[in-house]
Every structure is written in structure tokens, then in C-alpha cells.
Amino acid sequence: ILNVEQSPQSLHVQEGDSTNFTCSFPSSNFYALHWYRWETAKSPEALFVMTLNGDEKKKGRISATLNTKEGYSYLYIKGSQPEDSATYLCAFTSGTYKYIFGTGTRLKVLA
Amino acid sequence: DVKVTQSSRYLVKRTGEKVFLECVQDMDHENMFWYRQDPGLGLRLIYFSYDVKMKEKGDIPEGYSVSREKKERFSLILESASTNQTSMYLCASTVPGRGSSGNTIYFGEGSWLTVV
């Protein structure tokens, strides 16, 4: 059974702090790893789609890295702001229509 | 702006009722999905459709059926709702074909269903 794990499940940080969290996924049959940001009562919104080992992607203060050989991806947020408060989801796919989602990391940024 | 719209955001239904959850996308995507979100579990795939009238069972299809009569619309049907189907249901779409799983998934805002 393919499993995707995210850690931590939740965290609280102070405004201005930098933070990071992890997505662990199967290292075999890798095709792509997706990151989504999901605010309460809104649609999950795409952050990154990563396909190559060693990939690093950046969007404003948010960046992500990918290690397909060991099966993990890190998401970093630099200088967290209250508007960064959301659940961050990752999803693994081996190239089919099936995406395996993690349970998410719930981030709360305190002003 | 791309859009996946779930028409019913919050529903309360009685056990045994037939329930329809509607999803419409305006991006001309062939692939559409229905997921279920429960506390402590990742999004779980109920059904997938890759074209009009075409469907595949996902990981948890029991108690559900789907309808795809038009490309833009994908409906999830609970033939006889039960309390264990109380959940949040999320519709999504993406472009088709091998390699499409490297493309962005577009999600609706979710439909919260309570079965009493």
C-alpha cells in the first residue's frame, strides 16, 4: 500500500519566523510530487509540481526541494505571515490518474 | 480565472435519502475526480472520469455512483445515504493523458454533507 506521510501534523509559529515541513513518499515508481495550500473554506491551491530529483522551486517566500531517491520533499516558508496560515498538502503520483495525498500540515502563524 | 464549482456547499440529509453532489469545471478538462476528506485521513479517491460517460472506481467507491453526461459536469450520487457518509467531498479536474499527473489539479471548494 502506497503511503504519503507529512510531518508535523500541525504547528504554531510567530509572525516573522521561518518554518519548514516534510512530505515522505515512496521512492519507487516516482513521477511527480505536488504541493497544495488549503485555506479554510477555500479550494486547495497549487503551489508546486515537482518532477526531477534535486528540483528546487520558489514562489515568493515559499520554496520546496525534492529528493526522489530517498523519498522526501521539504516545504520552507521564510518570514511567516498570518496569511500563510493554512493546511499544506502534498500528493505523490507514479504517473497514473491516482494521486496519493498526505494528511497535511496545519500551520498557524500568530501575529 | 479557472474554476471548479461545487453547487452545494453545506447539506443535511436523512438516512436513506438519495443525494446528488454536482461539480462543474470551465477549463475543458477531460479528467475529473471526486474525493472524500475525513479527519486524520488524506484525500481519498471515490471515482475518476476521463471522458464523457467514462469512469473508473477509486479507492472507496462503495455506496457511491457517478454520472458524466457532459464534459464540464461530474456528479456524485449517494443512492441511499448513510451516517458513515457524513464527510467533506471535494471535486477536482486536470488535463488528460500520460504525463498529466505532472499537471496541476484544480479543486472545488468542497461540499460538507451531514447525514442524520
Side-chain angles (χ1 to χ4, degrees):
Chain A
I1 296 176
L2 298 177
N3 202 34
V4 172
E5 294 185 358
Q6 291 188 247
S7 62
Q9 283 191 322
S10 66
L11 75 163
H12 290 69
V13 301
Q14 290 295 132
E15 183 175 357
D17 286 351
S18 293
T19 187
N20 65 86
F21 18 95
T22 307
C23 173
S24 301
F25 53 86
S27 55
S28 58
N29 298 316
F30 175 86
Y31 186 82
L33 193 281
H34 295 233
W35 279 103
Y36 290 87
R37 180 173 177 275
W38 194 359
E39 287 183 75
T40 303
K42 294 188 178 179
S43 312
E45 173 195 355
L47 288 172
F48 307 112
V49 179
M50 309 180 80
T51 55
L52 298 175
N53 185 44
D55 233 357
E56 290 189 29
K57 296 214 171 183
K58 189 175 180 182
K59 190 175 187 175
R61 293 179 291 99
I62 304 177
S63 60
T65 60
L66 180 68
N67 184 323
T68 60
K69 294 187 190 308
E70 296 181 43
Y72 64 84
S73 176
Y74 294 137
L75 190 80
Y76 300 91
I77 302 179
K78 187 177 177 182
S80 303
Q81 299 297 309
E83 58 264 31
D84 295 328
S85 297
T87 296
Y88 291 83
L89 280 181
C90 67
F92 160 90
T93 177
S94 56
T96 69
Y97 64 84
K98 288 200 173 183
Y99 301 82
I100 312 298
F101 287 86
T103 54
T105 291
R106 191 178 300 113
L107 173 67
K108 177 74 175 175
V109 181
L110 305 169
Chain B
D1 214 12
V2 297
K3 199 87 173 151
V4 178
T5 302
Q6 294 181 233
S7 53
S8 301
R9 295 297 308 278
Y10 302 95
L11 307 94
V12 179
K13 298 292 182 180
R14 295 196 180 276
T15 301
E17 274 193 78
K18 191 169 186 175
V19 181
F20 292 86
L21 299 180
E22 306 284 346
C23 175
V24 177
Q25 50 95 0
D26 64 1
M27 296 163 282
D28 204 36
H29 286 166
E30 274 83 354
N31 290 356
M32 295 188 75
F33 307 80
W34 275 105
Y35 291 96
R36 174 174 168 160
Q37 168 78 49
D38 296 292
L41 299 174
L43 289 174
R44 292 182 292 165
L45 181 64
I46 305 171
Y47 266 99
F48 161 67
S49 170
Y50 53 93
D51 205 345
V52 174
K53 297 190 189 295
M54 308 305 287
K55 62 187 179 185
E56 295 272 351
K57 290 181 180 179
D59 299 316
I60 51 165
E62 297 78 21
Y64 303 95
S65 61
V66 290
S67 172
R68 185 101 180 264
E69 295 297 319
K70 291 186 177 182
K71 189 177 183 181
E72 67 271 18
R73 187 179 297 269
F74 191 34
S75 302
L76 181 70
I77 304 157
L78 288 67
E79 295 289 344
S80 177
S82 63
T83 54
N84 63 12
Q85 292 179 308
T86 292
S87 188
M88 197 278 275
Y89 293 88
L90 202 58
C91 176
S93 73
T94 188
V95 295
R98 169 73 183 165
S100 66
S101 54
N103 293 319
T104 298
I105 308 168
Y106 295 91
F107 290 94
E109 292 182 323
S111 297
W112 291 91
L113 172 66
T114 301
V115 182
V116 297

